[in-house]
Amino acid sequence: MARPRGFCEEEALDKALDVFWRHGYEGASLAVLTEAMGINRPSLYATFGNKEELFRKALDRYISVKNAVFDEALAEPTGRDVVRHLLRKAAEMMTEPGHPVGCLAVQGAISCSDESEPVRQELIRIRRGHEDQIRKRFAEEQAAGRLPDGTTPEDLAMLLATIANGMSIQASTGATREQLLTVAENAARAWPQVSNDGSDAARNTAAE
Amino acid sequence: MARPRGFCEEEALDKALDVFWRHGYEGASLAVLTEAMGINRPSLYATFGNKEELFRKALDRYISVKNAVFDEALAEPTGRDVVRHLLRKAAEMMTEPGHPVGCLAVQGAISCSDESEPVRQELIRIRRGHEDQIRKRFAEEQAAGRLPDGTTPEDLAMLLATIANGMSIQASTGATREQLLTVAENAARAWPQVSNDGSDAARNTAAE
DNA sequence: CTAGTTATGTACCGAACGGTATATAACATT
DNA sequence: AATGTTATATACCGTTCGGTACATAACTAG
């Protein structure tokens, strides 16, 4: 071996993650990244490849943490519990003190120049993957007879993912953690559910 | 007068709107803009000021169209009708053939470099304004005794805005118009509503 | 201490960015 | 037709972008 590197790779990656999270992939310049990571360009390129690879590695770290929480939520006993757990955790993760607000998978590259299209597609893949995990969980509910008539796992998964995505925008708009938790609770309460008398209640209340 | 301009200002603005809508404020380069608008840089600067002013003018056009639809939705008789109308129209406007998918107010500058912060703030102002209009409409519902106990106009407005924002991300993720319309319908059906027997039903079904 | 290896710091690369100076072309007015 | 005025086309400005060549510093192995 020779001269050892003068910085911690994981710490630097976390700093990069913070910058990408805050400014998005394209909005994060090499100047800001190296400044935040406390290293210079050649060290960055030697260690992480290039800007895109750096982003993907930072994204991996972000997603792996997120997936653990995700799996917890999916383990809840009922559909409504899954919804509540997932949206609560989303609200918390999107308003974590010391971190940028919102979700990297949503804000990272929602619109960009053609040059960054691969990154945008990668985030799309991730969002679709999450929705698909939810769908599978709701399919279990359906198999257990706990989905109201007229609802499908696909539709409910898309609705849930829509709300979670929307929370990211709301966080970016300035919504507080408390506000997002209220959104989560209200969504969970209103969630379509089979009533215990056996009737379905995809439609809330009988008032029509 | 002297030499007349060789292009239609409104047509050019619509072309610019399309580019900003598709690529976001920062992702839209002058090269792409002028190419799409069919004019060259000096004409653009003489007519529209600079990139930021061009964006704001394109945004004005976009928002004015949107506001008309918005007002229609708010005129619906009940809260649930407002929700359904608004989300349906949102689904349609976010998947209009011949236009970029999603909503410019969401995708235009959700994350960007510090340089574009004013534009980002402007979009935040617009999103907040929309949510506030919804809140006022729900406040009317509350005054009429049509809001379930435990719900507030603020909370419901934020929930609705969250879903609408989320639909923009879903459109960007590749959701079809039909899928978004299903999201809209499911959200409207589940919407918290006072039942006709006088009891409240912020919580969907009695199954707990 | 020397040699070999790897990381760092500086200074730079070509390309693309938003924006503009300047010359010319196209019109209205007289 | 001559003149004044405005729009267009070209070619360029300084700056920033992502990325790298190169010299030097810091370490290990012998």
mmCIF file with all atom_site columns, all heavy atoms in Angstrom, chain A residues 111-112, chain B residues 13-25 27-37 100 104:
data_model
loop_
_atom_site.group_PDB
_atom_site.id
_atom_site.type_symbol
_atom_site.label_atom_id
_atom_site.label_alt_id
_atom_site.label_comp_id
_atom_site.label_asym_id
_atom_site.label_entity_id
_atom_site.label_seq_id
_atom_site.pdbx_PDB_ins_code
_atom_site.Cartn_x
_atom_site.Cartn_y
_atom_site.Cartn_z
_atom_site.occupancy
_atom_site.B_iso_or_equiv
_atom_site.pdbx_formal_charge
_atom_site.auth_seq_id
_atom_site.auth_comp_id
_atom_site.auth_asym_id
_atom_site.auth_atom_id
_atom_site.pdbx_PDB_model_num
ATOM 1   N N   . SER A 1 111 ? -37.457 16.866 -13.179 1.00 0.00 ? 111 SER A N   1
ATOM 2   C CA  . SER A 1 111 ? -37.358 17.385 -14.542 1.00 0.00 ? 111 SER A CA  1
ATOM 3   C C   . SER A 1 111 ? -35.943 17.882 -14.742 1.00 0.00 ? 111 SER A C   1
ATOM 4   O O   . SER A 1 111 ? -35.354 18.480 -13.852 1.00 0.00 ? 111 SER A O   1
ATOM 5   C CB  . SER A 1 111 ? -38.376 18.486 -14.803 1.00 0.00 ? 111 SER A CB  1
ATOM 6   O OG  . SER A 1 111 ? -38.243 19.512 -13.859 1.00 0.00 ? 111 SER A OG  1
ATOM 7   N N   . CYS A 1 112 ? -35.405 17.597 -15.897 1.00 0.00 ? 112 CYS A N   1
ATOM 8   C CA  . CYS A 1 112 ? -33.991 17.873 -16.102 1.00 0.00 ? 112 CYS A CA  1
ATOM 9   C C   . CYS A 1 112 ? -33.723 17.964 -17.601 1.00 0.00 ? 112 CYS A C   1
ATOM 10  O O   . CYS A 1 112 ? -34.613 17.746 -18.422 1.00 0.00 ? 112 CYS A O   1
ATOM 11  C CB  . CYS A 1 112 ? -33.149 16.760 -15.487 1.00 0.00 ? 112 CYS A CB  1
ATOM 12  S SG  . CYS A 1 112 ? -33.624 15.107 -16.024 1.00 0.00 ? 112 CYS A SG  1
ATOM 13  N N   . LEU B 1 13  ? -44.477 32.070 -26.915 1.00 0.00 ? 13  LEU B N   1
ATOM 14  C CA  . LEU B 1 13  ? -44.586 31.855 -25.471 1.00 0.00 ? 13  LEU B CA  1
ATOM 15  C C   . LEU B 1 13  ? -45.106 30.454 -25.176 1.00 0.00 ? 13  LEU B C   1
ATOM 16  O O   . LEU B 1 13  ? -44.656 29.802 -24.228 1.00 0.00 ? 13  LEU B O   1
ATOM 17  C CB  . LEU B 1 13  ? -45.525 32.916 -24.883 1.00 0.00 ? 13  LEU B CB  1
ATOM 18  C CG  . LEU B 1 13  ? -45.406 33.209 -23.384 1.00 0.00 ? 13  LEU B CG  1
ATOM 19  C CD1 . LEU B 1 13  ? -43.965 33.468 -22.989 1.00 0.00 ? 13  LEU B CD1 1
ATOM 20  C CD2 . LEU B 1 13  ? -46.281 34.385 -23.009 1.00 0.00 ? 13  LEU B CD2 1
ATOM 21  N N   . ASP B 1 14  ? -46.038 29.987 -25.985 1.00 0.00 ? 14  ASP B N   1
ATOM 22  C CA  . ASP B 1 14  ? -46.552 28.641 -25.795 1.00 0.00 ? 14  ASP B CA  1
ATOM 23  C C   . ASP B 1 14  ? -45.469 27.590 -26.027 1.00 0.00 ? 14  ASP B C   1
ATOM 24  O O   . ASP B 1 14  ? -45.398 26.588 -25.318 1.00 0.00 ? 14  ASP B O   1
ATOM 25  C CB  . ASP B 1 14  ? -47.730 28.392 -26.751 1.00 0.00 ? 14  ASP B CB  1
ATOM 26  C CG  . ASP B 1 14  ? -49.015 29.018 -26.218 1.00 0.00 ? 14  ASP B CG  1
ATOM 27  O OD1 . ASP B 1 14  ? -49.108 29.221 -24.999 1.00 0.00 ? 14  ASP B OD1 1
ATOM 28  O OD2 . ASP B 1 14  ? -49.913 29.301 -27.041 1.00 0.00 ? 14  ASP B OD2 1
ATOM 29  N N   . LYS B 1 15  ? -44.629 27.861 -27.019 1.00 0.00 ? 15  LYS B N   1
ATOM 30  C CA  . LYS B 1 15  ? -43.531 26.927 -27.262 1.00 0.00 ? 15  LYS B CA  1
ATOM 31  C C   . LYS B 1 15  ? -42.570 26.926 -26.079 1.00 0.00 ? 15  LYS B C   1
ATOM 32  O O   . LYS B 1 15  ? -42.086 25.875 -25.646 1.00 0.00 ? 15  LYS B O   1
ATOM 33  C CB  . LYS B 1 15  ? -42.785 27.333 -28.539 1.00 0.00 ? 15  LYS B CB  1
ATOM 34  C CG  . LYS B 1 15  ? -43.618 27.235 -29.805 1.00 0.00 ? 15  LYS B CG  1
ATOM 35  C CD  . LYS B 1 15  ? -43.969 25.805 -30.143 1.00 0.00 ? 15  LYS B CD  1
ATOM 36  C CE  . LYS B 1 15  ? -44.623 25.705 -31.518 1.00 0.00 ? 15  LYS B CE  1
ATOM 37  N NZ  . LYS B 1 15  ? -44.988 24.320 -31.849 1.00 0.00 ? 15  LYS B NZ  1
ATOM 38  N N   . ALA B 1 16  ? -42.285 28.110 -25.560 1.00 0.00 ? 16  ALA B N   1
ATOM 39  C CA  . ALA B 1 16  ? -41.404 28.204 -24.395 1.00 0.00 ? 16  ALA B CA  1
ATOM 40  C C   . ALA B 1 16  ? -42.017 27.480 -23.203 1.00 0.00 ? 16  ALA B C   1
ATOM 41  O O   . ALA B 1 16  ? -41.336 26.753 -22.474 1.00 0.00 ? 16  ALA B O   1
ATOM 42  C CB  . ALA B 1 16  ? -41.149 29.669 -24.054 1.00 0.00 ? 16  ALA B CB  1
ATOM 43  N N   . LEU B 1 17  ? -43.331 27.684 -23.024 1.00 0.00 ? 17  LEU B N   1
ATOM 44  C CA  . LEU B 1 17  ? -44.040 26.997 -21.936 1.00 0.00 ? 17  LEU B CA  1
ATOM 45  C C   . LEU B 1 17  ? -43.857 25.496 -22.044 1.00 0.00 ? 17  LEU B C   1
ATOM 46  O O   . LEU B 1 17  ? -43.563 24.809 -21.059 1.00 0.00 ? 17  LEU B O   1
ATOM 47  C CB  . LEU B 1 17  ? -45.529 27.359 -21.999 1.00 0.00 ? 17  LEU B CB  1
ATOM 48  C CG  . LEU B 1 17  ? -46.473 26.554 -21.101 1.00 0.00 ? 17  LEU B CG  1
ATOM 49  C CD1 . LEU B 1 17  ? -46.047 26.638 -19.653 1.00 0.00 ? 17  LEU B CD1 1
ATOM 50  C CD2 . LEU B 1 17  ? -47.911 27.037 -21.279 1.00 0.00 ? 17  LEU B CD2 1
ATOM 51  N N   . ASP B 1 18  ? -43.986 24.979 -23.247 1.00 0.00 ? 18  ASP B N   1
ATOM 52  C CA  . ASP B 1 18  ? -43.820 23.541 -23.454 1.00 0.00 ? 18  ASP B CA  1
ATOM 53  C C   . ASP B 1 18  ? -42.428 23.077 -23.015 1.00 0.00 ? 18  ASP B C   1
ATOM 54  O O   . ASP B 1 18  ? -42.288 22.048 -22.339 1.00 0.00 ? 18  ASP B O   1
ATOM 55  C CB  . ASP B 1 18  ? -44.040 23.221 -24.937 1.00 0.00 ? 18  ASP B CB  1
ATOM 56  C CG  . ASP B 1 18  ? -44.073 21.729 -25.188 1.00 0.00 ? 18  ASP B CG  1
ATOM 57  O OD1 . ASP B 1 18  ? -42.977 21.134 -25.331 1.00 0.00 ? 18  ASP B OD1 1
ATOM 58  O OD2 . ASP B 1 18  ? -45.166 21.159 -25.247 1.00 0.00 ? 18  ASP B OD2 1
ATOM 59  N N   . VAL B 1 19  ? -41.419 23.849 -23.377 1.00 0.00 ? 19  VAL B N   1
ATOM 60  C CA  . VAL B 1 19  ? -40.042 23.463 -23.020 1.00 0.00 ? 19  VAL B CA  1
ATOM 61  C C   . VAL B 1 19  ? -39.833 23.517 -21.504 1.00 0.00 ? 19  VAL B C   1
ATOM 62  O O   . VAL B 1 19  ? -39.281 22.584 -20.903 1.00 0.00 ? 19  VAL B O   1
ATOM 63  C CB  . VAL B 1 19  ? -39.024 24.373 -23.733 1.00 0.00 ? 19  VAL B CB  1
ATOM 64  C CG1 . VAL B 1 19  ? -37.613 24.075 -23.254 1.00 0.00 ? 19  VAL B CG1 1
ATOM 65  C CG2 . VAL B 1 19  ? -39.122 24.203 -25.242 1.00 0.00 ? 19  VAL B CG2 1
ATOM 66  N N   . PHE B 1 20  ? -40.281 24.604 -20.870 1.00 0.00 ? 20  PHE B N   1
ATOM 67  C CA  . PHE B 1 20  ? -40.138 24.718 -19.409 1.00 0.00 ? 20  PHE B CA  1
ATOM 68  C C   . PHE B 1 20  ? -40.903 23.604 -18.707 1.00 0.00 ? 20  PHE B C   1
ATOM 69  O O   . PHE B 1 20  ? -40.457 23.046 -17.702 1.00 0.00 ? 20  PHE B O   1
ATOM 70  C CB  . PHE B 1 20  ? -40.653 26.076 -18.940 1.00 0.00 ? 20  PHE B CB  1
ATOM 71  C CG  . PHE B 1 20  ? -39.712 27.221 -19.180 1.00 0.00 ? 20  PHE B CG  1
ATOM 72  C CD1 . PHE B 1 20  ? -40.133 28.371 -19.829 1.00 0.00 ? 20  PHE B CD1 1
ATOM 73  C CD2 . PHE B 1 20  ? -38.388 27.158 -18.740 1.00 0.00 ? 20  PHE B CD2 1
ATOM 74  C CE1 . PHE B 1 20  ? -39.263 29.434 -20.047 1.00 0.00 ? 20  PHE B CE1 1
ATOM 75  C CE2 . PHE B 1 20  ? -37.512 28.220 -18.960 1.00 0.00 ? 20  PHE B CE2 1
ATOM 76  C CZ  . PHE B 1 20  ? -37.953 29.356 -19.603 1.00 0.00 ? 20  PHE B CZ  1
ATOM 77  N N   . TRP B 1 21  ? -42.060 23.311 -19.218 1.00 0.00 ? 21  TRP B N   1
ATOM 78  C CA  . TRP B 1 21  ? -42.925 22.288 -18.639 1.00 0.00 ? 21  TRP B CA  1
ATOM 79  C C   . TRP B 1 21  ? -42.227 20.920 -18.699 1.00 0.00 ? 21  TRP B C   1
ATOM 80  O O   . TRP B 1 21  ? -42.297 20.125 -17.768 1.00 0.00 ? 21  TRP B O   1
ATOM 81  C CB  . TRP B 1 21  ? -44.225 22.287 -19.435 1.00 0.00 ? 21  TRP B CB  1
ATOM 82  C CG  . TRP B 1 21  ? -45.385 21.572 -18.825 1.00 0.00 ? 21  TRP B CG  1
ATOM 83  C CD1 . TRP B 1 21  ? -45.383 20.708 -17.755 1.00 0.00 ? 21  TRP B CD1 1
ATOM 84  C CD2 . TRP B 1 21  ? -46.740 21.669 -19.250 1.00 0.00 ? 21  TRP B CD2 1
ATOM 85  N NE1 . TRP B 1 21  ? -46.646 20.264 -17.511 1.00 0.00 ? 21  TRP B NE1 1
ATOM 86  C CE2 . TRP B 1 21  ? -47.506 20.826 -18.404 1.00 0.00 ? 21  TRP B CE2 1
ATOM 87  C CE3 . TRP B 1 21  ? -47.397 22.367 -20.270 1.00 0.00 ? 21  TRP B CE3 1
ATOM 88  C CZ2 . TRP B 1 21  ? -48.886 20.684 -18.560 1.00 0.00 ? 21  TRP B CZ2 1
ATOM 89  C CZ3 . TRP B 1 21  ? -48.768 22.209 -20.414 1.00 0.00 ? 21  TRP B CZ3 1
ATOM 90  C CH2 . TRP B 1 21  ? -49.503 21.382 -19.566 1.00 0.00 ? 21  TRP B CH2 1
ATOM 91  N N   . ARG B 1 22  ? -41.564 20.684 -19.817 1.00 0.00 ? 22  ARG B N   1
ATOM 92  C CA  . ARG B 1 22  ? -40.948 19.374 -20.040 1.00 0.00 ? 22  ARG B CA  1
ATOM 93  C C   . ARG B 1 22  ? -39.623 19.236 -19.297 1.00 0.00 ? 22  ARG B C   1
ATOM 94  O O   . ARG B 1 22  ? -39.308 18.172 -18.760 1.00 0.00 ? 22  ARG B O   1
ATOM 95  C CB  . ARG B 1 22  ? -40.745 19.157 -21.548 1.00 0.00 ? 22  ARG B CB  1
ATOM 96  C CG  . ARG B 1 22  ? -40.014 17.871 -21.919 1.00 0.00 ? 22  ARG B CG  1
ATOM 97  C CD  . ARG B 1 22  ? -40.154 17.560 -23.395 1.00 0.00 ? 22  ARG B CD  1
ATOM 98  N NE  . ARG B 1 22  ? -41.454 16.975 -23.732 1.00 0.00 ? 22  ARG B NE  1
ATOM 99  C CZ  . ARG B 1 22  ? -42.394 17.557 -24.473 1.00 0.00 ? 22  ARG B CZ  1
ATOM 100 N NH1 . ARG B 1 22  ? -42.173 18.744 -24.984 1.00 0.00 ? 22  ARG B NH1 1
ATOM 101 N NH2 . ARG B 1 22  ? -43.540 16.953 -24.704 1.00 0.00 ? 22  ARG B NH2 1
ATOM 102 N N   . HIS B 1 23  ? -38.836 20.316 -19.288 1.00 0.00 ? 23  HIS B N   1
ATOM 103 C CA  . HIS B 1 23  ? -37.472 20.198 -18.748 1.00 0.00 ? 23  HIS B CA  1
ATOM 104 C C   . HIS B 1 23  ? -37.259 20.940 -17.434 1.00 0.00 ? 23  HIS B C   1
ATOM 105 O O   . HIS B 1 23  ? -36.194 20.829 -16.843 1.00 0.00 ? 23  HIS B O   1
ATOM 106 C CB  . HIS B 1 23  ? -36.466 20.722 -19.775 1.00 0.00 ? 23  HIS B CB  1
ATOM 107 C CG  . HIS B 1 23  ? -36.377 19.899 -21.016 1.00 0.00 ? 23  HIS B CG  1
ATOM 108 N ND1 . HIS B 1 23  ? -35.892 18.605 -21.017 1.00 0.00 ? 23  HIS B ND1 1
ATOM 109 C CD2 . HIS B 1 23  ? -36.730 20.156 -22.293 1.00 0.00 ? 23  HIS B CD2 1
ATOM 110 C CE1 . HIS B 1 23  ? -35.936 18.125 -22.248 1.00 0.00 ? 23  HIS B CE1 1
ATOM 111 N NE2 . HIS B 1 23  ? -36.453 19.037 -23.039 1.00 0.00 ? 23  HIS B NE2 1
ATOM 112 N N   . GLY B 1 24  ? -38.259 21.692 -16.986 1.00 0.00 ? 24  GLY B N   1
ATOM 113 C CA  . GLY B 1 24  ? -38.060 22.511 -15.796 1.00 0.00 ? 24  GLY B CA  1
ATOM 114 C C   . GLY B 1 24  ? -37.325 23.794 -16.136 1.00 0.00 ? 24  GLY B C   1
ATOM 115 O O   . GLY B 1 24  ? -36.799 23.955 -17.238 1.00 0.00 ? 24  GLY B O   1
ATOM 116 N N   . TYR B 1 25  ? -37.296 24.715 -15.181 1.00 0.00 ? 25  TYR B N   1
ATOM 117 C CA  . TYR B 1 25  ? -36.674 26.013 -15.447 1.00 0.00 ? 25  TYR B CA  1
ATOM 118 C C   . TYR B 1 25  ? -35.183 25.872 -15.750 1.00 0.00 ? 25  TYR B C   1
ATOM 119 O O   . TYR B 1 25  ? -34.701 26.369 -16.772 1.00 0.00 ? 25  TYR B O   1
ATOM 120 C CB  . TYR B 1 25  ? -36.878 26.941 -14.244 1.00 0.00 ? 25  TYR B CB  1
ATOM 121 C CG  . TYR B 1 25  ? -36.155 28.255 -14.383 1.00 0.00 ? 25  TYR B CG  1
ATOM 122 C CD1 . TYR B 1 25  ? -36.547 29.185 -15.340 1.00 0.00 ? 25  TYR B CD1 1
ATOM 123 C CD2 . TYR B 1 25  ? -35.062 28.561 -13.577 1.00 0.00 ? 25  TYR B CD2 1
ATOM 124 C CE1 . TYR B 1 25  ? -35.882 30.393 -15.482 1.00 0.00 ? 25  TYR B CE1 1
ATOM 125 C CE2 . TYR B 1 25  ? -34.400 29.765 -13.709 1.00 0.00 ? 25  TYR B CE2 1
ATOM 126 C CZ  . TYR B 1 25  ? -34.812 30.675 -14.660 1.00 0.00 ? 25  TYR B CZ  1
ATOM 127 O OH  . TYR B 1 25  ? -34.142 31.857 -14.804 1.00 0.00 ? 25  TYR B OH  1
ATOM 128 N N   . GLY B 1 27  ? -33.483 23.086 -16.442 1.00 0.00 ? 27  GLY B N   1
ATOM 129 C CA  . GLY B 1 27  ? -33.200 22.112 -17.489 1.00 0.00 ? 27  GLY B CA  1
ATOM 130 C C   . GLY B 1 27  ? -33.466 22.637 -18.886 1.00 0.00 ? 27  GLY B C   1
ATOM 131 O O   . GLY B 1 27  ? -33.055 22.024 -19.874 1.00 0.00 ? 27  GLY B O   1
ATOM 132 N N   . ALA B 1 28  ? -34.157 23.767 -18.968 1.00 0.00 ? 28  ALA B N   1
ATOM 133 C CA  . ALA B 1 28  ? -34.456 24.367 -20.275 1.00 0.00 ? 28  ALA B CA  1
ATOM 134 C C   . ALA B 1 28  ? -33.348 25.352 -20.639 1.00 0.00 ? 28  ALA B C   1
ATOM 135 O O   . ALA B 1 28  ? -33.235 26.415 -20.041 1.00 0.00 ? 28  ALA B O   1
ATOM 136 C CB  . ALA B 1 28  ? -35.806 25.079 -20.223 1.00 0.00 ? 28  ALA B CB  1
ATOM 137 N N   . SER B 1 29  ? -32.542 24.995 -21.610 1.00 0.00 ? 29  SER B N   1
ATOM 138 C CA  . SER B 1 29  ? -31.438 25.876 -22.009 1.00 0.00 ? 29  SER B CA  1
ATOM 139 C C   . SER B 1 29  ? -31.905 26.864 -23.061 1.00 0.00 ? 29  SER B C   1
ATOM 140 O O   . SER B 1 29  ? -32.882 26.622 -23.781 1.00 0.00 ? 29  SER B O   1
ATOM 141 C CB  . SER B 1 29  ? -30.267 25.063 -22.543 1.00 0.00 ? 29  SER B CB  1
ATOM 142 O OG  . SER B 1 29  ? -30.611 24.492 -23.785 1.00 0.00 ? 29  SER B OG  1
ATOM 143 N N   . LEU B 1 30  ? -31.184 27.982 -23.156 1.00 0.00 ? 30  LEU B N   1
ATOM 144 C CA  . LEU B 1 30  ? -31.513 28.975 -24.169 1.00 0.00 ? 30  LEU B CA  1
ATOM 145 C C   . LEU B 1 30  ? -31.480 28.365 -25.564 1.00 0.00 ? 30  LEU B C   1
ATOM 146 O O   . LEU B 1 30  ? -32.294 28.707 -26.418 1.00 0.00 ? 30  LEU B O   1
ATOM 147 C CB  . LEU B 1 30  ? -30.526 30.152 -24.098 1.00 0.00 ? 30  LEU B CB  1
ATOM 148 C CG  . LEU B 1 30  ? -30.941 31.384 -23.310 1.00 0.00 ? 30  LEU B CG  1
ATOM 149 C CD1 . LEU B 1 30  ? -32.143 32.061 -23.953 1.00 0.00 ? 30  LEU B CD1 1
ATOM 150 C CD2 . LEU B 1 30  ? -31.264 31.020 -21.873 1.00 0.00 ? 30  LEU B CD2 1
ATOM 151 N N   . ALA B 1 31  ? -30.553 27.473 -25.787 1.00 0.00 ? 31  ALA B N   1
ATOM 152 C CA  . ALA B 1 31  ? -30.443 26.839 -27.100 1.00 0.00 ? 31  ALA B CA  1
ATOM 153 C C   . ALA B 1 31  ? -31.724 26.093 -27.446 1.00 0.00 ? 31  ALA B C   1
ATOM 154 O O   . ALA B 1 31  ? -32.284 26.258 -28.533 1.00 0.00 ? 31  ALA B O   1
ATOM 155 C CB  . ALA B 1 31  ? -29.248 25.885 -27.122 1.00 0.00 ? 31  ALA B CB  1
ATOM 156 N N   . VAL B 1 32  ? -32.214 25.276 -26.502 1.00 0.00 ? 32  VAL B N   1
ATOM 157 C CA  . VAL B 1 32  ? -33.439 24.513 -26.736 1.00 0.00 ? 32  VAL B CA  1
ATOM 158 C C   . VAL B 1 32  ? -34.641 25.451 -26.847 1.00 0.00 ? 32  VAL B C   1
ATOM 159 O O   . VAL B 1 32  ? -35.525 25.254 -27.694 1.00 0.00 ? 32  VAL B O   1
ATOM 160 C CB  . VAL B 1 32  ? -33.655 23.478 -25.609 1.00 0.00 ? 32  VAL B CB  1
ATOM 161 C CG1 . VAL B 1 32  ? -34.997 22.797 -25.746 1.00 0.00 ? 32  VAL B CG1 1
ATOM 162 C CG2 . VAL B 1 32  ? -32.543 22.443 -25.626 1.00 0.00 ? 32  VAL B CG2 1
ATOM 163 N N   . LEU B 1 33  ? -34.680 26.455 -26.005 1.00 0.00 ? 33  LEU B N   1
ATOM 164 C CA  . LEU B 1 33  ? -35.807 27.393 -26.019 1.00 0.00 ? 33  LEU B CA  1
ATOM 165 C C   . LEU B 1 33  ? -35.917 28.106 -27.362 1.00 0.00 ? 33  LEU B C   1
ATOM 166 O O   . LEU B 1 33  ? -36.981 28.111 -27.994 1.00 0.00 ? 33  LEU B O   1
ATOM 167 C CB  . LEU B 1 33  ? -35.646 28.417 -24.890 1.00 0.00 ? 33  LEU B CB  1
ATOM 168 C CG  . LEU B 1 33  ? -35.996 27.927 -23.480 1.00 0.00 ? 33  LEU B CG  1
ATOM 169 C CD1 . LEU B 1 33  ? -35.495 28.893 -22.416 1.00 0.00 ? 33  LEU B CD1 1
ATOM 170 C CD2 . LEU B 1 33  ? -37.496 27.721 -23.337 1.00 0.00 ? 33  LEU B CD2 1
ATOM 171 N N   . THR B 1 34  ? -34.815 28.715 -27.800 1.00 0.00 ? 34  THR B N   1
ATOM 172 C CA  . THR B 1 34  ? -34.860 29.471 -29.056 1.00 0.00 ? 34  THR B CA  1
ATOM 173 C C   . THR B 1 34  ? -35.192 28.555 -30.230 1.00 0.00 ? 34  THR B C   1
ATOM 174 O O   . THR B 1 34  ? -35.957 28.923 -31.115 1.00 0.00 ? 34  THR B O   1
ATOM 175 C CB  . THR B 1 34  ? -33.525 30.184 -29.315 1.00 0.00 ? 34  THR B CB  1
ATOM 176 O OG1 . THR B 1 34  ? -32.466 29.237 -29.216 1.00 0.00 ? 34  THR B OG1 1
ATOM 177 C CG2 . THR B 1 34  ? -33.306 31.300 -28.315 1.00 0.00 ? 34  THR B CG2 1
ATOM 178 N N   . GLU B 1 35  ? -34.624 27.356 -30.201 1.00 0.00 ? 35  GLU B N   1
ATOM 179 C CA  . GLU B 1 35  ? -34.917 26.367 -31.236 1.00 0.00 ? 35  GLU B CA  1
ATOM 180 C C   . GLU B 1 35  ? -36.412 26.064 -31.294 1.00 0.00 ? 35  GLU B C   1
ATOM 181 O O   . GLU B 1 35  ? -37.033 26.091 -32.360 1.00 0.00 ? 35  GLU B O   1
ATOM 182 C CB  . GLU B 1 35  ? -34.126 25.078 -30.942 1.00 0.00 ? 35  GLU B CB  1
ATOM 183 C CG  . GLU B 1 35  ? -34.690 23.814 -31.556 1.00 0.00 ? 35  GLU B CG  1
ATOM 184 C CD  . GLU B 1 35  ? -34.331 23.667 -33.028 1.00 0.00 ? 35  GLU B CD  1
ATOM 185 O OE1 . GLU B 1 35  ? -33.291 24.232 -33.421 1.00 0.00 ? 35  GLU B OE1 1
ATOM 186 O OE2 . GLU B 1 35  ? -35.084 23.008 -33.763 1.00 0.00 ? 35  GLU B OE2 1
ATOM 187 N N   . ALA B 1 36  ? -37.006 25.802 -30.126 1.00 0.00 ? 36  ALA B N   1
ATOM 188 C CA  . ALA B 1 36  ? -38.427 25.457 -30.076 1.00 0.00 ? 36  ALA B CA  1
ATOM 189 C C   . ALA B 1 36  ? -39.302 26.647 -30.443 1.00 0.00 ? 36  ALA B C   1
ATOM 190 O O   . ALA B 1 36  ? -40.347 26.497 -31.090 1.00 0.00 ? 36  ALA B O   1
ATOM 191 C CB  . ALA B 1 36  ? -38.795 24.940 -28.687 1.00 0.00 ? 36  ALA B CB  1
ATOM 192 N N   . MET B 1 37  ? -38.890 27.831 -30.028 1.00 0.00 ? 37  MET B N   1
ATOM 193 C CA  . MET B 1 37  ? -39.694 29.025 -30.265 1.00 0.00 ? 37  MET B CA  1
ATOM 194 C C   . MET B 1 37  ? -39.533 29.519 -31.706 1.00 0.00 ? 37  MET B C   1
ATOM 195 O O   . MET B 1 37  ? -40.311 30.355 -32.170 1.00 0.00 ? 37  MET B O   1
ATOM 196 C CB  . MET B 1 37  ? -39.293 30.135 -29.290 1.00 0.00 ? 37  MET B CB  1
ATOM 197 C CG  . MET B 1 37  ? -39.524 29.776 -27.826 1.00 0.00 ? 37  MET B CG  1
ATOM 198 S SD  . MET B 1 37  ? -38.720 30.940 -26.675 1.00 0.00 ? 37  MET B SD  1
ATOM 199 C CE  . MET B 1 37  ? -39.877 32.310 -26.699 1.00 0.00 ? 37  MET B CE  1
ATOM 200 N N   . PRO B 1 100 ? -46.455 18.217 -22.248 1.00 0.00 ? 100 PRO B N   1
ATOM 201 C CA  . PRO B 1 100 ? -45.687 17.427 -21.278 1.00 0.00 ? 100 PRO B CA  1
ATOM 202 C C   . PRO B 1 100 ? -46.601 16.951 -20.162 1.00 0.00 ? 100 PRO B C   1
ATOM 203 O O   . PRO B 1 100 ? -47.623 17.581 -19.885 1.00 0.00 ? 100 PRO B O   1
ATOM 204 C CB  . PRO B 1 100 ? -44.651 18.428 -20.747 1.00 0.00 ? 100 PRO B CB  1
ATOM 205 C CG  . PRO B 1 100 ? -44.571 19.503 -21.773 1.00 0.00 ? 100 PRO B CG  1
ATOM 206 C CD  . PRO B 1 100 ? -45.944 19.585 -22.378 1.00 0.00 ? 100 PRO B CD  1
ATOM 207 N N   . LEU B 1 104 ? -46.695 22.055 -14.214 1.00 0.00 ? 104 LEU B N   1
ATOM 208 C CA  . LEU B 1 104 ? -45.541 22.965 -14.232 1.00 0.00 ? 104 LEU B CA  1
ATOM 209 C C   . LEU B 1 104 ? -45.241 23.550 -12.864 1.00 0.00 ? 104 LEU B C   1
ATOM 210 O O   . LEU B 1 104 ? -44.078 23.725 -12.496 1.00 0.00 ? 104 LEU B O   1
ATOM 211 C CB  . LEU B 1 104 ? -45.799 24.094 -15.235 1.00 0.00 ? 104 LEU B CB  1
ATOM 212 C CG  . LEU B 1 104 ? -44.714 25.172 -15.331 1.00 0.00 ? 104 LEU B CG  1
ATOM 213 C CD1 . LEU B 1 104 ? -43.405 24.579 -15.805 1.00 0.00 ? 104 LEU B CD1 1
ATOM 214 C CD2 . LEU B 1 104 ? -45.150 26.303 -16.245 1.00 0.00 ? 104 LEU B CD2 1
#
